[in-house]
Amino acid sequence: DSGVTQTPKHLITAIGQRVTLRCSPRSGDLSVYWYQQSLDQGLQFLIQYYNGEERAKGNILERFSAQQFPDLHSELNLSSLELGDSALYFCASSVFKSDTQYFGPGTRLTVL
Amino acid sequence: GENVEQHPSTLSVQEGDSAVIKCTYSDSASNYFPWYKQELGKGPQLIIDIRSNVGEKKDQRIAVTLNKTAKHFSLHITETQPEDSAVYFCAAEPVDGGSQGNLIFGKGTKLSVKP
């Protein structure tokens, strides 16, 4: 158990809908990262927050957004969902801006 | 930007044999290289990492070597056991201003250890 928690574990929704994925980092960690894992693209970095502020963006679609709250938990919002958004979404956390990352168990999103 | 290539994509070994997975990276400025193990239905679990100021690091049956000149690093698992069966990912952390801290992953190696 890495200490990173993610909810929900599974999410099934329809095309065009909007969902929110939640992540709680390890106690003491200030950085939160979001990754998408799909069969064809592998593990891809989406976005990083550090102590409440966006620090870096990767291959994140404009339909996706995230935020980190004062208690350091983070939410990833996915809107106007398409079939291709079906994937595993992982959250990771680290102590500082650039440090060892510990991954959560993931949220499996299925868009029907 | 950084690109990480990982080989082989699948690896099958007999229990007790050694397994080696190799990765190459493109950005010579990258300075942190972790390895993750992912079991079915679980998130990636850090198993070992190495920084660019070190050439080799060992933790029991697992070792990682880094060749900065050739820009490649390898994972070595000795005395493999069935519970080592999983998908292994290598990653590199580019040192590129705002990209620092983000990991670029290889495509993964599915390791099967046959009893």
Side-chain angles (χ1 to χ4, degrees):
Chain A
D1 184 359
S2 66
V4 179
T5 60
Q6 289 186 250
T7 56
K9 195 176 176 81
H10 301 279
L11 200 48
I12 300 174
T13 188
I15 291 172
Q17 294 299 302
R18 181 179 191 274
V19 297
T20 298
L21 282 52
R22 183 188 169 103
C23 167
S24 292
R26 295 186 320 155
S27 177
D29 284 1
L30 298 177
S31 260
V32 169
Y33 310 78
W34 286 98
Y35 291 86
Q36 180 191 57
Q37 185 176 39
S38 60
L39 282 174
D40 55 341
Q41 294 294 324
L43 265 164
Q44 294 221 312
F45 167 72
L46 295 178
I47 197 165
Q48 178 196 4
Y49 278 81
Y50 175 75
N51 205 20
E53 294 191 4
E54 181 184 305
R55 184 167 182 271
K57 267 187 175 180
N59 299 320
I60 188 166
L61 300 171
E62 286 191 11
R63 300 184 284 109
F64 296 0
S65 65
Q67 53 184 329
Q68 186 179 29
F69 294 87
D71 66 353
L72 300 176
H73 90 272
S74 178
E75 293 181 356
L76 179 67
N77 300 296
L78 315 176
S79 62
S80 302
L81 285 168
E82 302 174 359
L83 292 176
D85 298 326
S86 295
L88 276 164
Y89 290 85
F90 289 104
C91 165
S93 73
S94 68
V95 177
F96 300 117
K97 297 176 186 178
S98 172
D99 205 347
T100 302
Q101 295 182 31
Y102 296 90
F103 281 74
T107 292
R108 180 175 291 280
L109 174 67
T110 302
V111 182
L112 300 175
Chain B
E2 175 65 279
N3 183 51
V4 177
E5 299 281 341
Q6 182 172 346
H7 299 280
S9 56
T10 60
L11 180 58
S12 182
V13 299
Q14 287 294 134
E15 182 177 359
D17 287 352
S18 295
V20 181
I21 302 171
K22 299 182 180 181
C23 288
T24 59
Y25 60 99
S26 60
D27 186 352
S28 57
S30 290
N31 61 5
Y32 174 63
F33 308 92
W35 285 89
Y36 287 86
K37 173 184 180 183
Q38 187 175 22
E39 296 174 319
L40 201 59
K42 296 186 177 181
Q45 174 194 1
L46 180 74
I47 55 172
I48 197 166
D49 56 10
I50 192 168
R51 297 194 181 270
S52 59
N53 58 345
V54 176
E56 184 174 358
K57 184 176 178 181
K58 194 172 181 180
D59 182 5
Q60 299 183 348
R61 298 185 297 108
I62 294 174
V64 56
T65 58
L66 171 65
N67 183 327
K68 286 182 61 181
T69 304
K71 290 189 286 186
H72 68 70
F73 56 112
S74 300
L75 177 71
H76 304 253
I77 305 174
T78 58
E79 300 172 21
T80 53
Q81 301 166 3
E83 51 265 38
D84 293 330
S85 296
V87 179
Y88 290 81
F89 292 94
C90 63
E93 179 188 87
V95 182
D96 174 20
S99 295
Q100 188 173 10
N102 314 323
L103 296 176
I104 306 300
F105 283 88
K107 294 290 188 186
T109 296
K110 184 175 182 180
L111 173 65
S112 300
V113 180
K114 298 180 179 178

